[in-house]
Amino acid sequence: MKSTVLFLSLLFSLAFSFDEDIEYYTEEGNEIENSHITTVFRSKRQEGPGNATTVSDHHVYYRSQYISRGDSYWFELKGREGVNETAIQELFRYYVVWRMPFPFPFYGHILDRIAVSTGGFLYTGTFYHSQIHLTQFIAPLQANFNPSLNDTAKILVYSTANRFTVQWEGVHNDDHINDGEFTFQVSLFPDGTIHFAYREIPLPINKINNDEHPVEVGLADSFYVDVIDRFGRIIRYIYEYSRIQLNKTQELSNTAYVITPVPNCIIANSCESCSNISKQGIFNCAWCANLSRCSDGIDRHRQEWFIAGCHNQAVSTCQTSTVRPISSTRQIFTPSFLTSSPPLPTITSGPPQTTTPPRTSLSTGAEVGIGLVAVFLLVLIILVVVIGGVVLYLRLKRPVSGPQSQVVYKQKKGEQGLDFPDDTDGFVDKDELAIEVDEASIL
């Protein structure tokens, strides 16, 4: 009985008691031509109507256009019905989660909610932590904005079935209190198009102080990798695979950016459409029958892609002989001891045979009691294992969160820092080193 109690306590301590850590990785270094890990710029400057300048750039996942006279892209919210003032407009370094009025594709992934931040950006991740400003964002102008410095500052949201607009109006930068008010907005559309529109930007972007908060104009996305260490703790790695940084030297007052998505692997729903996207020469897409999914292995589903073996089994050509039947179930990140199952009973053909068991007699009632106790304990242990396994599975599927975070930036080899863990299963480059950055209580 003591061994049973010890087993139960160990199982439930594993399922319910573990520390949660966060490690964040981002790609550093120069831009690499034809690489979709970092930003690629192919600029084309044109003269538009009224001598307006349009600059078109290709960033692999998106194309952008800078319009020097962008008044027509400003969506006026003043006096419009359905405009909401957010509660965070009187706060500093806060965000509020807003449910999207339509499924919004971001890097091909469908979002049903977005976090609106006082810092001039939208957070697009599904995992909320204290470092949301670092990646997975849509940033018309991310900076150290403090709406509480101005009684008339507003953060407005306009949400309809075909448009989602957020406007930062009359906000001050906490590092440039005397330099004027900033007014700008971002609009999202059901087809994935994004508009950045600027009414009043009193400072050049490259002159805004970034010591206390990053200054960004653009987009970024990441994937998560969850790993259980030897102590049973879940460690979540946040690995950035794309960052689009728009030109910070452009004049922004009364200008606009139009950002349109490029069809990528994620949007394909069949092997044929997956192959067609790959033929465009931008993405190296492959179809995985195990998941019924198209990918190049670098997106938010990367961990599931590897666990299902798609990095070895996915095909780029849709030949019947090479494509495996599509499974109706998707594999999930589950510990190996939860995936094992007892052997199936042997089934014999032919009519059932009846046998007469030999007559036996129980010598004492004590033997009956011992047998019942043994059966009861066996059933109890099986029940506890099943319940504990389900609870642990739910904990693994639930986004981890915690009051403490560890933020780590990926750096070049040779710099002193922390080695990557040995149990990342190839999701993180263990040959690289990482350098620890102090925790900051900012968004």
Side-chain angles (χ1 to χ4, degrees):
M1 183 63 67
K2 291 183 178 179
S3 60
T4 303
V5 174
L6 179 60
F7 173 78
L8 293 177
S9 61
L10 178 62
L11 179 61
F12 280 97
S13 64
L14 176 62
F16 292 100
S17 302
F18 54 85
D19 297 329
E20 298 164 335
D21 296 317
I22 306 167
E23 295 187 5
Y24 170 85
Y25 295 90
T26 180
E27 285 289 337
E28 297 283 337
N30 298 326
E31 296 168 354
I32 303 175
E33 189 69 19
N34 295 327
S35 170
H36 60 288
I37 299 295
T38 54
T39 305
V40 178
F41 292 97
R42 300 190 182 103
S43 301
K44 183 178 181 181
R45 184 175 294 272
Q46 299 176 340
E47 292 297 324
N51 295 325
T53 300
T54 300
V55 180
S56 300
D57 291 330
H58 182 205
H59 312 278
V60 181
Y61 289 93
Y62 286 88
R63 293 184 176 91
S64 68
Q65 282 189 319
Y66 166 80
I67 298 99
S68 62
R69 295 187 178 180
D71 292 343
S72 60
Y73 292 93
W74 181 263
F75 186 69
E76 187 59 59
L77 296 182
K78 186 176 181 179
R80 189 180 296 273
E81 293 184 2
V83 177
N84 299 276
E85 293 189 12
T86 63
I88 61 174
Q89 64 189 25
E90 299 177 357
L91 303 172
F92 180 38
R93 291 180 177 174
Y94 274 80
Y95 64 86
V96 59
V97 179
W98 206 275
R99 186 175 296 276
M100 292 295 294
F102 48 80
F104 177 70
F106 182 67
Y107 282 85
H109 303 282
I110 301 301
L111 307 181
D112 62 357
R113 63 192 63 201
I114 276 180
V116 179
S117 169
T118 57
F121 68 96
L122 308 178
Y123 176 65
T124 63
T126 57
F127 170 47
Y128 295 92
H129 51 88
S130 63
Q131 306 292 327
I132 64 172
H133 63 287
L134 293 179
T135 189
Q136 292 188 310
F137 57 71
I138 300 173
L141 180 53
Q142 180 186 153
N144 198 24
F145 294 116
N146 187 355
S148 65
L149 295 174
N150 184 0
D151 293 338
T152 61
K154 296 180 180 179
I155 300 179
L156 307 174
V157 175
Y158 178 75
S159 178
T160 65
N162 55 17
R163 186 186 194 105
F164 182 80
T165 298
V166 179
Q167 179 170 305
W168 292 262
E169 180 178 316
V171 295
H172 282 274
N173 189 292
D174 202 57
D175 301 317
H176 303 274
I177 298 177
N178 299 322
D179 289 327
E181 301 175 354
F182 293 74
T183 299
F184 55 95
Q185 64 181 207
V186 57
S187 294
L188 311 181
F189 300 90
D191 64 352
T193 299
I194 302 170
H195 290 177
F196 293 166
Y198 306 91
R199 177 58 55 87
E200 184 64 33
I201 307 297
L203 287 175
I205 303 304
N206 55 3
K207 299 296 182 181
I208 298 178
N209 189 305
N210 63 357
D211 293 339
E212 299 296 329
H213 197 290
V215 177
E216 296 285 349
V217 178
L219 315 175
D221 199 27
S222 303
F223 59 80
Y224 306 147
V225 175
D226 292 339
V227 175
I228 303 179
D229 69 7
R230 62 179 60 91
F231 303 107
R233 299 175 304 177
I234 298 177
I235 300 178
R236 168 157 287 181
Y237 297 93
I238 306 177
Y239 201 94
E240 184 173 279
Y241 67 89
S242 173
R243 179 178 291 257
I244 298 173
Q245 294 178 312
L246 301 179
N247 196 332
K248 296 180 181 179
T249 63
Q250 303 279 17
E251 173 65 31
L252 285 187
S253 291
N254 300 312
T255 67
Y257 275 105
V258 177
I259 305 170
T260 54
V262 174
N264 63 359
C265 308
I266 291 296
I267 68 173
N269 55 13
S270 67
C271 185
E272 289 74 18
S273 58
C274 181
S275 179
N276 291 336
I277 293 176
S278 188
K279 290 177 182 178
Q280 297 177 8
I282 300 177
F283 302 99
N284 186 23
C285 304
W287 179 259
C288 181
N290 288 348
L291 297 178
S292 186
R293 180 179 298 158
C294 179
S295 176
D296 58 357
I298 303 178
D299 53 52
R300 293 191 180 189
H301 302 300
R302 178 177 172 88
Q303 183 167 23
E304 189 178 359
W305 183 264
F306 270 75
I307 290 175
C310 295
H311 58 299
N312 293 323
Q313 301 176 16
V315 296
S316 56
T317 56
C318 301
Q319 299 177 2
T320 305
S321 58
T322 60
V323 178
R324 299 176 57 185
I326 296 177
S327 173
S328 60
T329 60
R330 294 185 175 183
Q331 297 191 29
I332 56 177
F333 183 52
T334 308
S336 58
F337 72 86
L338 292 180
T339 60
S340 60
S341 58
L344 296 175
T346 303
I347 301 177
T348 59
S349 59
Q353 299 181 2
T354 303
T355 59
T356 303
R359 295 183 178 180
T360 59
S361 60
L362 298 177
S363 58
T364 63
E367 293 180 358
V368 177
I370 294 175
L372 291 177
V373 171
V375 172
F376 174 79
L377 290 178
L378 180 61
V379 172
L380 179 62
I381 291 174
I382 293 175
L383 182 62
V384 170
V385 170
V386 172
I387 294 176
V390 171
V391 172
L392 181 58
Y393 162 71
L394 293 176
R395 294 301 299 264
L396 293 176
K397 292 295 289 181
R398 177 183 62 84
V400 297
S401 59
Q404 296 181 349
S405 302
Q406 185 183 23
V407 182
V408 180
Y409 286 91
K410 190 174 182 182
Q411 300 290 340
K412 297 180 180 179
K413 294 181 180 179
E415 297 187 10
Q416 184 177 4
L418 303 174
D419 285 321
F420 287 106
D422 295 329
D423 49 1
T424 55
D425 297 330
F427 295 113
V428 180
D429 187 359
K430 293 181 289 187
D431 293 331
E432 298 284 350
L433 294 178
I435 183 171
E436 187 173 359
V437 180
D438 291 336
E439 167 74 7
S441 59
I442 59 179
L443 295 177

